[in-house]
């Protein structure tokens, strides 16, 4: 066994380099007198140093070479491409994006994956997700992804696993790298980067500095056929719906005399649906026409890939204070400037669009009101029994697009000591981390509803410092003075502060007949506090944008853990661990883990883990203020287009015949709760690692996983609430929905609660083979993820695409690498299995005949070639991402009834849909 351990140590040294942060005599041991010393290395997933790379937990390692081969500039984008990754936020999210890129594992949510840097926590958001764009790729040596529960070892959030990003160590010299690329056909989506790394080491210490800059330019949704159409009923011309019972008989007769059509004549919801058709400021009863399917295509005004610039600085240092004590420190700061762009703000007024919109009346004395009577936004102000308010819509194209600009700064500093205890095997480390994230968001093109109410009111003139608003004059009716009076720019601020104190000890506890028992023990205190301060008008709800209350809160978490590695007999090791936690918000809990490693022969490892996990409620979960959202939902109570009859569904009782929802974007109120408890999970993995000695360079792993999450914190889901209510499958869901007398949904309350359950189950397969020939060195690898179960609250989602969240049954990558002399070449293909459209799953196909019932499978190929100019210490790389310009399958003929924003999932498929060509040059001196 000694020779096997020595060979494994050599492989570790090659794979990891100088991975350990300390190099004390306690880190090595002699297997027997006179034998070679074998270095112990700490592998992510355990706190106990070991001599073997393979552990009970399945771990995926991405080396620096793997990162450099990729044409991606963000470590987040690289990690989102591994087969085990699920749907997570990235820079292709325009509507609802923040410029951040998260990582998800097993489709359990980014908040259930713990992100570490050099084994220690990174700064997260208010929702406990980490923006991986804050970590510069040029400073990374490798990434280790633990694909099982690890809360007993690392604490909260490690339900799905752990991503540990290891920075470069013992760097000597100066390295400069530049990169540039763009889409070949469309000449867009340009990306640039430049970075410099400087380092020096001595017998007692070392210092490294890294600075990097990344620019990512936009891609427009209108420049790709699949995303170029997105129709909204809120048009640039405007739309006004007047219910006959809400206006005087005289006005009704006048409208009929003008030739306008009264829809649903003779029924309770009879009325007019009018579009201004005048020119300039001209208004009158004759300046309208019947609405004839008028829509507004917002897609060309939206980004498909959002732009951003990132500047990062990283410094790390160590110094040996003595033979047994080392001082360690690092500091990282990243500033990100990012933006999203949406079409001009839609003005929606009237009770059918929510409480804020219902405050707006169009007064009879307003100089542009052609109807001669007041149109009330709320029935209570009309004084008329049975009054049904008007509904008005108009795109404020004269005000220009809505722009969301983030200025985000994250920094994190760590100082610590680490060392050995005398001549024993024990080592220790103690550290303090201070981290902070702050973000300012400027939003332009918003509408002030208080000003709009004044501008449409009774006493609006220059004498009252008010500019009357003309919504009825057709194109060009809204002047710049009107725009200036009713629009505003909003500034919001949010941030999070992290303080983390840790102490760890690890070493040999005692000896058993089968060997030495390894032990690790540690203590951690984590303090987090955060805030979100929206613009005052946003908090008051006096804006046409989403209302949001302020957030402020924090917590303290004290934890202690013990981990053991117990040799039972030659070849069998059991590794139990337990962690005790005390949280200031909800109290105490504990989690345990047991790992088993059995090696019946040197080439074969059988492994398994059982682990409890937990996720503490985040600051956002506990303390976020109420906030509006407007998801795109199709109301199942819409009347049949031919008969005008409302479906006979239990939850549609009381909705009048002829009802058609006023807007596909339905208002929901999102609510947090300070009474939330931690999520709890149980995970099991079983696997095989086979490295046949008779085939040098071949490796093979297969791992089964099963993760169950209970009491998960999440919103029940607006679409689920709506469907359960209308179908009658859960009548209590109707308690969360408010409709007006016309049937329109005016509020849908989407609460956070500890009620959800997840169950994910599947198999990960990985194999690689490296071999040398007279034609060069080759390496092939296949990484495949097979999902057997992906249930949320008992609903299995495997093989279903739900907008930007896809759950393919199979995902995989195959790579072929070649090198000879100064040349190297790389080819990788990524595969996403076909999926069924969610609308087809729930039986919506008859309503949307243009909808794709199935989203086709997706292959995309990436290639690169490199050449090393050894005489100049320079490496040149030319690469093409998406070699065959593969496009994803659209969900619909246009974007009208697609669940995703862009008619395809931006988490499963590439947004450029073009050959992205890039060059990279790296020189070291």
């Amino acid at each position: 066994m000694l020779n096997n351990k020595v060979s494994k140590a050599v492989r570790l040294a090659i794979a990891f380099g100088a991975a350990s942060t300390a190099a004390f005599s306690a880190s090595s041991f002699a297997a027997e007198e006179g034998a070679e010393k074998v270095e112990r290395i700490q592998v992510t997933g355990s706190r106990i140093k070991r001599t073997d790379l393979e552990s009970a937990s399945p771990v995926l390692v991405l080396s620096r070479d793997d990162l450099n081969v990729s044409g991606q500039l963000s470590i987040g984008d690289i990690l989102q491409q591994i087969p085990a990754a699920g749907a997570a936020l990235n820079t292709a999210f325009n509507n609802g994006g923040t410029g951040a890129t998260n990582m998800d594992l097993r489709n359990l949510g980014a908040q259930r994956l713990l992100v570490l840097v050099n084994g220690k926590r990174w700064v997260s958001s208010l929702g406990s997700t980490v923006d991986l764009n804050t970590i510069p790729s040029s400073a990374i040596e490798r990434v280790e992804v633990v694909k099982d529960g690890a809360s007993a070892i690392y604490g909260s959030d490690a339900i799905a696993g752990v991503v540990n990003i290891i920075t470069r160590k013992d760097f000597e010299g100066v390295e400069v790298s530049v990169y540039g690329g763009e889409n070949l056909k469309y000449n867009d989506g340009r990306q640039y980067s430049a970075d410099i790394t400087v380092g020096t080491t001595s017998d007692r210490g070392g210092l490294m500095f890294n600075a990097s800059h990344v620019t990512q330019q936009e891609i427009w949704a209108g420049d790709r056929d699949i995303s170029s159409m997105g129709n909204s009923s809120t048009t640039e011309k405007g739309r006004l719906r007047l219910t006959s019972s809400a206006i005087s008989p005289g006005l009704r007769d006048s409208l009929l005399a003008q030739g306008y059509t009264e829809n649903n004549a003779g029924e309770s919801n009879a009325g007019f649906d009018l579009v201004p058709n005048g020119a300039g400021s001209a208004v009158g009863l004759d300046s309208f026409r019947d609405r004839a399917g008028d829509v507004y295509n917002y897609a060309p005004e939206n980004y498909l890939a959002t732009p951003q610039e990132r500047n990062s600085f990283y410094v790390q240092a160590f110094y040996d204070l003595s033979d047994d004590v080392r001082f360690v420190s690092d500091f990282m700061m990243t500033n990100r400037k990012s933006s999203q762009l949406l079409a001009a703000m839609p003005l929606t007024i009237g009770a059918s669009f929510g409480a804020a919109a219902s405050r707006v009346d169009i007064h009879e004395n307003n100089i542009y009101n052609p109807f001669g009577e007041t149109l009330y936004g709320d029935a209570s102000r009309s004084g008329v029994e049975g009054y049904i308010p008007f509904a008005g819509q108009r795109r404020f194209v004269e005000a220009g697009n809505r722009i969301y600009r983030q200025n985000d700064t994250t920094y994190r500093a760590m100082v610590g000591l680490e060392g050995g205890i005398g001549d024993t095997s024990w080592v220790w480390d103690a550290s303090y981390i201070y981290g902070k994230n702050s973000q300012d968001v400027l939003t332009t093109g918003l509408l002030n509803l208080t000003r709009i109410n004044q501008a449409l009111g009774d006493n609006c003139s220059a004498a009252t410092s008010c500019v009357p608003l003309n919504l009825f004059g057709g194109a060009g009716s809204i002047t710049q003075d009107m725009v200036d009076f009713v629009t505003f720019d909003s500034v919001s601020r949010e941030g999070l502060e992290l303080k983390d104190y840790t102490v760890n000890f690890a070493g040999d506890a005692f000896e058993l007949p089968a060997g030495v028992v390894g032990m690790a023990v540690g203590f951690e205190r984590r303090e987090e506090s955060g805030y979100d301060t929206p613009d005052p008008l946003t908090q008051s709800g006096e804006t046409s944008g989403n209302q949001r209350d302020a957030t402020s809160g924090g917590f303290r978490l004290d934890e202690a853990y013990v981990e053991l590695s117990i040799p039972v007999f030659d070849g069998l090791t059991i590794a139990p661990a337990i962690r005790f936690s005390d949280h200031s918000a909800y109290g105490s809990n504990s989690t345990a883990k047991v790992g088993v490693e059995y090696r019946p022969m040197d080439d074969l490892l059988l492994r398994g883990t059982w682990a409890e996990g937990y996720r503490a409620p985040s600051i956002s979960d506990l303390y976020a203020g109420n906030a509006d959202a407007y998801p795109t939902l199709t109301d199942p109570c819409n009347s049949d287009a031919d008969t005008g009859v409302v479906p006979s569904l239990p939850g549609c009782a009381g909705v009048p015949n002829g009802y058609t929802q006023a807007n596909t974007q339905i208002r929901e109120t999102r609510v947090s709760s300070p009474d939330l408890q931690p999520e709890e999970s149980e995970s099991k993995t079983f696997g095989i690692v086979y490295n046949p000695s008779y085939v040098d360079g071949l490796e093979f792993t297969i791992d089964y996983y099963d993760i169950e999450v209970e009491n998960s914190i999440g919103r029940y889901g607006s679409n689920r609430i709506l469907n359960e209510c209308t179908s009658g499958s859960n009548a209590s869901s109707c308690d969360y929905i408010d409709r007006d007398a016309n049937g329109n949904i005016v509020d849908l309350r989407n609460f956070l609660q500890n009620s959800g359950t997840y169950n994910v189950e599947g198999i990960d397969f990985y194999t690689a083979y490296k071999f040398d020939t007279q034609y060069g060195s080759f390496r092939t690898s296949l990484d495949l993820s097979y999902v057997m179960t992906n249930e949320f609250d008992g609903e299995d989602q495997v093989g279903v695409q739900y907008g930007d969240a896809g759950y393919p049954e199979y995902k995989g990558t195959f790579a072929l690498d070649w090198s000879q002399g100064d040349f190297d070449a790389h080819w990788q293909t990524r595969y996403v299995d076909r999926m069924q459209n969610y609308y087809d799953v729930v039986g919506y196909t008859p309503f949307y005949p243009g909808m794709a019932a199935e989203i086709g499978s997706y292959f995309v190929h990436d290639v690169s070639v490199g050449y090393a100019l050894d005489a100049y210490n320079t490496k040149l790389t030319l690469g093409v991402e998406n070699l065959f310009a593969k496009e994803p399958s659209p969900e619909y003929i246009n974007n009208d009834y697609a669940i995703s924003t862009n008619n395809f999932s931006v988490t499963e498929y590439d947004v450029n849909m073009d050959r992205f060509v890039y060059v990279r040059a790296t020189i070291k001196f």
Side-chain angles (χ1 to χ4, degrees):
M1 293 294 290
L2 173 62
N3 290 334
N4 187 51
K5 289 182 178 179
V6 172
S7 67
K8 291 266 175 78
V10 172
R11 285 193 296 154
L12 283 171
I14 294 172
F16 284 175
S20 57
T21 56
F24 304 107
S25 59
S27 297
S28 302
F29 72 98
E32 56 185 66
E33 187 174 354
E36 294 185 66
K37 288 188 176 181
V38 181
E39 184 178 3
R40 292 180 175 180
I41 294 176
Q42 184 172 302
V43 179
T44 305
S46 173
R47 300 278 191 178
I48 300 174
K49 293 181 182 290
R50 55 188 294 129
T51 60
D52 202 344
L53 175 60
E54 294 99 5
S55 66
S57 298
V59 180
L60 172 69
V61 179
L62 299 176
S63 68
R64 181 163 181 79
D65 288 340
D66 295 327
L67 305 183
N68 286 337
V69 165
S70 171
Q72 304 292 332
L73 293 177
S74 167
I75 185 59
D77 292 330
I78 294 172
L79 288 172
Q80 285 196 5
Q81 291 184 353
I82 69 173
L89 191 69
N90 57 43
T91 57
F93 281 83
N94 182 51
N95 190 351
T98 63
T101 299
N102 302 146
M103 171 61 178
D104 173 278
L105 202 62
R106 314 292 192 203
N107 275 308
L108 287 174
Q111 70 274 30
R112 298 182 184 93
L113 177 71
L114 177 62
V115 176
L116 308 174
V117 173
N118 296 324
K120 302 181 186 299
R121 280 184 178 265
W122 191 247
V123 184
S124 69
S125 67
L126 295 176
S128 293
T129 60
V130 170
D131 177 14
L132 292 166
N133 288 333
T134 61
I135 305 170
S137 296
S138 56
I140 298 174
E141 180 64 31
R142 70 181 186 279
V143 180
E144 299 172 6
V145 182
V146 179
K147 297 192 286 185
D148 75 340
S151 288
I153 308 298
Y154 296 108
S156 177
D157 306 340
I159 283 179
V162 177
V163 168
N164 188 15
I165 296 172
I166 312 296
T167 58
R168 304 172 75 174
K169 302 292 191 298
D170 297 331
F171 183 87
E172 286 275 6
V174 178
E175 181 182 275
V176 177
S177 181
V178 293
Y179 168 103
E182 70 172 24
N183 290 312
L184 187 63
K185 177 181 178 181
Y186 295 96
N187 301 122
D188 59 8
R190 294 184 180 92
Q191 297 185 34
Y192 311 97
S193 75
D195 57 77
I196 181 171
T197 306
V198 181
T200 183
T201 59
S202 68
D203 292 340
R204 297 186 65 87
L207 177 68
M208 188 190 81
F209 168 81
N210 173 272
S212 69
H213 169 82
V214 174
T215 294
Q216 173 181 301
Q217 295 186 357
E218 69 277 356
I219 300 175
W220 291 89
D223 289 340
R224 302 294 189 272
D225 289 342
I226 191 173
S227 56
S228 62
M229 290 293 295
N231 293 327
S232 167
S233 60
T234 304
T235 73
E236 71 275 20
K237 294 180 180 179
R239 177 186 181 189
L240 188 68
R241 279 158 293 154
L242 301 173
T243 306
S244 297
S245 61
I247 57 178
S248 67
L251 177 56
R252 175 179 176 271
D253 291 341
S254 297
L255 292 173
L256 290 172
Q258 290 290 336
Y260 301 128
T261 300
E262 185 181 32
N263 299 312
N264 305 315
E267 298 189 20
S268 61
N269 62 336
F272 301 88
D273 193 354
L274 305 176
V275 172
N277 200 36
S281 60
V283 294
L285 287 184
D286 59 349
S287 61
F288 295 88
R289 62 172 171 80
D290 290 331
R291 180 175 180 265
D294 297 67
V295 292
Y296 171 72
N297 183 14
Y298 58 80
E301 306 299 319
N302 286 10
Y303 288 145
L304 181 60
T306 63
Q308 65 175 245
E309 289 189 0
R310 303 192 297 271
N311 291 294
S312 301
F313 302 91
Y314 178 63
V315 181
Q316 69 177 17
F318 71 90
Y319 185 75
D320 293 338
L321 301 175
S322 69
D323 290 342
D324 289 331
V325 178
R326 170 175 286 183
F327 169 79
V328 293
S329 179
D330 64 29
F331 173 81
M332 188 180 290
M333 187 279 289
T334 298
N335 176 257
R336 166 171 55 83
K337 290 182 172 62
S338 53
S339 64
Q340 297 80 46
L341 187 76
L342 297 178
M345 191 73 198
L347 171 65
T348 52
I349 50 180
S352 61
F353 298 107
S358 71
R359 294 198 295 268
V360 177
D361 299 331
I362 303 175
H363 201 274
E364 62 181 310
N365 293 332
N366 181 274
I367 62 173
Y368 297 116
N369 184 345
F371 303 112
E373 58 187 63
T374 300
L375 305 179
Y376 292 97
D378 187 275
S380 63
R381 292 194 298 275
S382 71
V384 178
E385 185 177 352
Y387 180 88
I388 299 177
F390 79 97
Q393 298 170 262
R394 194 188 194 282
R395 284 276 173 175
F396 255 70
V397 293
E398 294 86 351
N401 290 0
R402 289 167 286 168
I403 303 175
Y404 302 80
R405 292 192 177 97
Q406 297 89 29
N407 185 357
D408 185 285
T409 300
T410 300
Y411 60 86
R412 174 183 176 272
M414 185 277 294
V415 292
L417 297 172
E418 54 188 29
I421 301 177
D423 295 329
T424 71
S425 64
W426 285 83
V427 295
W428 60 272
D429 67 84
S431 64
Y432 168 70
I433 296 172
Y434 179 81
K436 189 172 184 178
N437 170 262
S438 59
Q439 182 178 105
D440 295 345
V441 182
L442 170 67
T443 306
T444 67
L446 298 178
L447 302 177
N448 183 332
L449 287 181
T450 299
R451 289 284 187 92
I452 286 175
N453 201 17
Q454 294 173 5
L456 296 173
D458 179 23
N459 189 25
C460 182
S461 65
T464 58
S465 300
C466 178
V467 180
L469 179 62
N470 183 2
L471 295 179
F472 313 111
S477 65
I478 299 179
T479 66
Q480 188 60 48
D481 286 343
M482 296 177 189
V483 169
D484 293 341
F485 184 71
V486 300
T487 60
F488 76 101
D489 295 340
S490 126
V491 177
S492 65
R493 294 180 171 87
E494 68 175 62
L496 181 137
E497 183 180 64
L498 166 71
K499 297 177 183 178
D500 189 88
Y501 313 81
T502 60
V503 178
N504 299 291
F505 299 89
D508 296 338
F510 53 88
E511 190 165 358
L512 293 176
V516 176
V517 175
M519 181 178 183
V521 60
F523 309 90
E524 179 177 7
R525 164 168 284 195
R526 178 159 56 99
E527 299 173 358
E528 290 190 13
S529 60
Y531 64 91
D532 173 23
T533 308
D535 184 272
L537 279 177
T538 301
Q539 292 189 57
S540 68
E542 297 296 329
T543 167
S544 57
N546 295 356
Q547 189 275 339
R548 188 170 88 252
D549 294 333
T551 297
S552 179
F555 62 82
R556 185 204 72 250
L557 180 61
D558 294 320
E559 298 186 291
Y561 76 92
V562 178
E563 180 188 4
L564 298 173
S565 177
I566 305 171
V568 180
F569 53 79
D570 189 23
L572 177 63
T573 301
I574 297 176
I578 189 167
R579 175 176 288 258
F580 302 95
S581 306
D582 183 64
H583 197 286
S584 60
Y586 64 79
S588 60
N589 63 290
S590 63
T591 52
K593 181 174 182 176
V594 178
V596 178
E597 303 171 35
Y598 176 53
R599 192 176 291 277
M601 60 183 73
D602 286 351
D603 297 346
L604 179 64
L605 172 67
L606 307 179
R607 63 187 181 187
T609 64
W610 171 87
E612 295 176 320
Y614 81 102
R615 182 178 82 86
S618 68
I619 292 174
S620 181
D621 293 333
L622 294 167
Y623 306 116
N626 291 353
D628 283 351
Y630 289 86
T632 299
L633 300 172
T634 300
D635 192 346
C637 295
N638 279 317
S639 300
D640 183 89
D642 295 326
T643 66
V645 176
V646 169
S648 57
L649 297 172
C652 296
V655 176
N657 288 331
Y659 160 73
T660 300
Q661 66 185 104
N663 195 337
T664 56
Q665 289 184 296
I666 292 177
R667 177 179 182 258
E668 73 171 27
T669 301
R670 297 185 173 182
V671 182
S672 64
S673 172
D675 300 321
L676 291 169
Q677 295 296 303
E679 299 178 346
E680 300 172 345
S681 70
E682 181 181 10
S683 66
K684 299 181 285 289
T685 67
F686 305 98
I688 299 172
V689 181
Y690 186 47
N691 303 108
S693 57
Y694 54 86
V695 183
D696 189 32
L698 178 63
E699 54 183 309
F700 171 93
T701 65
I702 184 168
D703 290 283
Y704 164 83
Y705 65 88
D706 183 0
I707 305 174
E708 297 181 3
V709 183
E710 295 182 345
N711 296 323
S712 71
I713 300 169
R715 305 200 181 278
Y716 198 71
S718 53
N719 192 72
R720 183 163 294 174
I721 291 171
L722 182 57
N723 286 331
E724 287 185 351
C725 169
T726 54
S727 68
S729 62
N730 184 2
S732 63
S733 289
C734 294
D735 296 338
Y736 302 123
I737 300 174
D738 293 338
R739 293 182 184 266
D740 64 13
N742 244 355
N744 292 297
I745 297 174
V746 295
D747 191 19
L748 190 157
R749 291 170 294 284
N750 199 355
F751 290 90
L752 277 178
Q753 49 190 346
N754 281 106
S755 64
T757 60
Y758 288 90
N759 181 22
V760 295
E761 180 185 17
I763 296 174
D764 290 336
F765 172 86
Y766 178 83
T767 184
Y769 181 41
K770 183 177 181 180
F771 57 96
D772 296 324
T773 72
Q774 61 178 327
Y775 304 106
S777 297
F778 293 86
R779 184 179 186 273
T780 64
S781 64
L782 173 64
D783 189 0
L784 181 65
S785 176
Y786 165 49
V787 181
M788 301 162 62
T789 303
N790 192 314
E791 289 185 355
F792 175 66
D793 283 351
E795 179 183 347
D796 198 348
Q797 304 169 109
V798 175
V800 178
Q801 178 172 306
Y802 184 85
D804 287 307
Y807 307 97
E809 187 175 10
Y810 292 95
K811 287 176 67 176
T813 59
F814 176 78
L816 175 62
D817 304 314
W818 168 85
S819 64
Q820 185 173 32
D822 296 331
F823 291 91
D824 62 86
H826 310 273
W827 167 57
Q828 175 179 277
T829 181
R830 289 176 282 123
Y831 171 74
V832 177
D833 198 18
R834 62 184 178 87
M835 287 180 281
Q836 189 178 5
N837 192 313
Y838 176 78
Y839 276 165
D840 185 62
V841 173
V842 297
Y844 279 13
T845 305
F847 294 96
Y848 311 130
M851 182 193 70
E854 182 177 282
I855 311 300
S857 59
Y858 180 78
F859 270 107
V860 63
H861 303 266
D862 305 327
V863 297
S864 67
V865 294
Y867 178 68
L869 290 79
D870 290 339
Y872 301 97
N873 293 322
T874 299
K875 175 69 179 294
L876 301 176
T877 301
L878 171 66
V880 182
E881 299 269 293
N882 196 2
L883 179 64
F884 300 109
K886 174 68 174 178
E887 297 185 7
S889 300
E891 295 180 33
Y892 192 67
I893 53 174
N894 56 44
N895 206 22
D896 280 358
Y897 294 109
I899 307 178
S900 62
T901 303
N902 297 297
N903 208 10
F904 71 98
S905 167
V906 297
T907 63
E908 298 297 336
Y909 313 110
D910 294 352
V911 299
N912 59 302
M913 291 168 276
D914 188 10
R915 296 172 182 87
F916 181 83
V917 180
Y918 65 92
V919 293
R920 178 185 281 119
T922 302
I923 181 171
K924 187 173 182 180
F925 49 89

